Amino acid sequence: MEITHIEHLGIAVKSIDACLPYYEGVLGLKCYNIEVVEDQKVKTAFFKVGQTKIELLEPTSEDSTIAKFIEKKGEGIHHIAFAVPSVQDALDEAASKGVQLIDKAPRGGAEGLNIAFLHPKSTCSVLTELCMEGDK
Ligand code: ZN
């Protein structure tokens, strides 16, 4: 697979508002985008750290996968996202190597990027997202 960089780290939080004082006030990062992704039932907040972003994920509904994650494991790092030139090619390659896929085809994620997830069963327990390279 041709990974160019870590696109973002996804961090599950109960409240984005409660986390802003830390990320902005202590770390000095600037939240440049807050966006609700309806089909994933999450509100997302983005910070840039060099080429990599931090994506805070706040559940907007109790049946959101993020709500379930927080219930089971508590707040914390939820997934790692790698940038690849083609999400479909990367998925096909992963599938051909026996990796269990959550998404068989890319779908739209936050920031208009094409994304797809690999199942943690096949990725040493880290939920792994592949997303298209983009400069947003
Ligand atoms: Zn993500």
Side-chain angles (χ1 to χ4, degrees), residues 8 55 79 129:
H8 63 269
E55 174 186 32
H79 65 274
E129 177 181 344

Side-chain angles (χ1 to χ4, degrees), residues 8-10 46 55 57 79-81 115 117 129:
H8 63 269
L9 291 172
F46 286 92
E55 174 186 32
L57 301 153
H79 65 274
I80 185 167
I115 65 160
F117 283 94
E129 177 181 344

Side-chain angles (χ1 to χ4, degrees), residues 87-125:
V87 176
Q88 188 64 65
D89 288 355
L91 279 179
D92 292 345
E93 183 184 343
S96 78
K97 292 178 175 170
V99 171
Q100 199 177 318
L101 309 179
I102 292 176
D103 302 299
K104 292 195 169 60
R107 56 185 163 94
E111 301 204 297
L113 293 177
N114 272 334
I115 65 160
F117 283 94
L118 306 180
H119 199 285
K121 271 184 190 155
S122 301
T123 61
C124 300
S125 302

Side-chain angles (χ1 to χ4, degrees), residues 20-42:
L20 288 179
Y22 171 66
Y23 283 95
E24 295 195 314
V26 178
L27 297 182
L29 303 173
K30 190 112 204 86
C31 175
Y32 68 92
N33 186 22
I34 291 190
E35 186 181 340
V36 173
V37 184
E38 296 289 354
D39 70 328
Q40 288 173 61
K41 296 175 183 161
V42 289

